[in-house]
Amino acid sequence: MREILSLGRYFQARFGARVRKIPISLQGFTCPNIDGTLAKGGCIYCKNESFSPSLIKIQNLPATITMRKNLAQNPLLQAQLSQLEEQFLWHAEFNERKFGVQKFMVYFQSYTNTYAPISTLQALYDKALSFEGVVGMSIGTRIDCVDEAVLDLLGGYVKKGYEIWLEYGIQSVYEKTLTLINRAHSVPISSAKALFAATRARGIKVCAHLIYGLPGESEEMMLHSLESTLGFGVDGLKLHPLYVMRDTQLARMYEAGRYEPIDLESYVELIVKSLRAIPESIVLHRISSGAHSGDLLAPKWCFDKNIQMRLLRERLLEEGMVY
Ligand code: SF4
């Protein structure tokens, strides 16, 4: 029986204890695919509040101020630092009280978390790593928003003994699909190979995200995206189904009958095939996804992550794999 290296198992082996990722959403962070730098409107499925319901607006600060690399001054910084502290302490206290967890990874989750002046990033990351029990950070970003300065900054934390993961959204390796979903990368997807190598050369771990069920993609294409992404060189993967949130471009396609979500059985079989192809040393950060929010339109099975996980675990057991 093969034991899949889930993130929980990886953390247990690495730190000798349970580690919880604490999601952080900071006002002012955005994405070059939303603010007009590369495109407007974002990816057709993007609704950041759906994966960050805790996104808290800072009182009395104009919503028009947003992060950019070249922002001369960041008037939100003090408020962002307070917001970071408030969110971290709330989640840490909850996890310690309810589950007895005492080690944490700070997870900068919403939007593109390396898309800000380097001084802002350093101030936020320094603060995140200063909290009691924090063993590292996970930072969600895009392949066109990480430069040498960011890598050097993060590599410095690795040298101090912290565990640092960069979570890069790949989603698909097909440029046609990426255009269709308005991913608007300013670099070709193939450039991920060199970027991942530069990231890993500094001891920073790479987790690549892939979405199954993107419009127009066959199972063969999805498995090819997986194979290519493994070829880029990764330490971890996050696999999840595409789901439709209200008030997105994808919702309009779905309502017009131009998009059909992947069904549960197909998704489960795809995960089984994927796990057969993924080397045992790769950390599986996630193989399912769901949204409890009333904003979820389809597929209905994404309302309940527990059902997905039960089915996935049962099916994987049949294949000699324990998740
Ligand atoms: S890259 Fe991420 S944050 Fe930016 S538009 Fe796409 S899903 Fe949203």
Side-chain angles (χ1 to χ4, degrees):
M1 195 66 74
R2 172 186 163 193
E3 203 170 64
I4 301 293
L5 187 56
S6 63
L7 188 60
R9 287 195 182 104
Y10 168 78
F11 279 151
Q12 186 70 44
R14 165 92 165 80
F15 298 104
R18 287 174 76 185
V19 178
R20 275 288 159 114
K21 277 171 86 173
I22 295 196
I24 300 294
S25 307
L26 300 177
Q27 186 176 339
F29 274 78
T30 181
C31 175
N33 193 15
I34 292 175
D35 70 8
T37 301
L38 295 174
K40 276 201 181 288
C43 303
I44 59 172
Y45 48 78
C46 181
K47 191 159 185 175
N48 262 278
E49 308 86 68
S50 70
F51 41 83
S52 311
S54 62
L55 193 64
I56 302 163
K57 294 280 177 237
I58 302 169
Q59 299 282 322
N60 307 323
L61 285 174
T64 47
I65 301 172
T66 55
M67 297 301 99
R68 285 171 193 265
K69 275 275 163 220
N70 56 2
L71 193 70
Q73 273 193 328
N74 176 7
L76 298 183
L77 183 58
Q78 285 314 313
Q80 288 169 332
L81 290 166
S82 305
Q83 206 176 22
L84 167 62
E85 181 164 11
E86 194 180 316
Q87 290 177 23
F88 175 81
L89 292 178
W90 188 93
H91 283 282
E93 193 274 328
F94 174 81
N95 275 287
E96 186 161 4
R97 180 167 36 84
K98 187 127 196 223
F99 306 109
V101 179
Q102 293 183 321
K103 289 192 193 300
F104 308 101
M105 290 279 288
V106 179
Y107 179 24
F108 290 92
Q109 181 182 30
S110 299
Y111 299 104
T112 298
N113 294 282
T114 54
Y115 186 57
I118 195 80
S119 55
T120 291
L121 297 179
Q122 178 160 12
L124 291 170
Y125 299 160
D126 283 355
K127 176 97 180 172
L129 293 172
S130 74
F131 298 131
E132 199 180 331
V134 169
V135 293
M137 295 185 291
S138 227
I139 300 161
T141 188
R142 295 163 51 96
I143 58 169
D144 51 6
C145 289
V146 173
D147 56 19
E148 292 283 312
V150 169
L151 290 179
D152 287 344
L153 174 63
L154 295 176
Y157 299 127
V158 174
K159 282 190 187 139
K160 289 180 184 162
Y162 290 108
E163 169 99 355
I164 308 293
W165 284 83
L166 268 175
E167 299 198 19
Y168 289 104
I170 294 291
Q171 322 313 5
S172 167
V173 297
Y174 288 89
E175 295 291 352
K176 191 176 155 209
T177 304
L178 297 173
T179 302
L180 182 66
I181 65 173
N182 194 40
R183 190 81 193 154
H185 282 142
S186 61
V187 296
I189 201 74
S190 55
S191 67
K193 191 173 173 78
L195 177 63
F196 288 7
T199 304
R200 299 173 86 201
R202 289 161 169 90
I204 304 159
K205 295 192 180 297
V206 168
C207 174
H209 293 200
L210 287 171
I211 299 180
Y212 288 162
L214 288 168
E217 291 219 333
S218 62
E219 180 186 281
E220 193 187 357
M221 291 167 78
M222 298 176 221
L223 290 173
H224 176 67
S225 283
L226 171 66
E227 190 189 338
S228 302
T229 302
L230 288 169
F232 294 158
V234 301
D235 303 285
L237 285 168
K238 195 178 260 188
L239 308 175
H240 59 90
L242 181 60
Y243 54 79
V244 185
M245 298 298 288
R246 216 175 285 283
D247 300 324
T248 59
Q249 183 58 27
L250 186 64
R252 288 183 276 283
M253 285 169 66
Y254 172 70
E255 281 160 346
R258 290 189 288 117
Y259 173 67
E260 187 61 39
I262 191 167
D263 63 77
L264 181 54
E265 291 69 31
S266 304
Y267 183 73
V268 169
E269 288 313 305
L270 202 49
I271 291 294
V272 169
K273 286 179 186 165
S274 300
L275 290 180
R276 278 199 211 115
I278 295 170
E280 296 193 13
S281 57
I282 303 283
V283 183
L284 267 299
H285 287 235
R286 168 185 286 227
I287 57 170
S288 66
S289 192
H292 299 298
S293 146
D295 282 343
L296 176 67
L297 282 184
K300 297 293 180 215
W301 55 269
C302 279
F303 273 115
D304 195 337
K305 211 176 129 202
N306 294 331
I307 291 181
Q308 284 175 54
M309 283 315 300
R310 203 182 62 233
L311 279 173
L312 280 164
R313 286 203 165 96
E314 284 172 10
R315 190 62 194 92
L316 289 168
L317 269 182
E318 288 169 16
E319 295 291 322
M321 292 182 271
V322 183
Y323 187 79

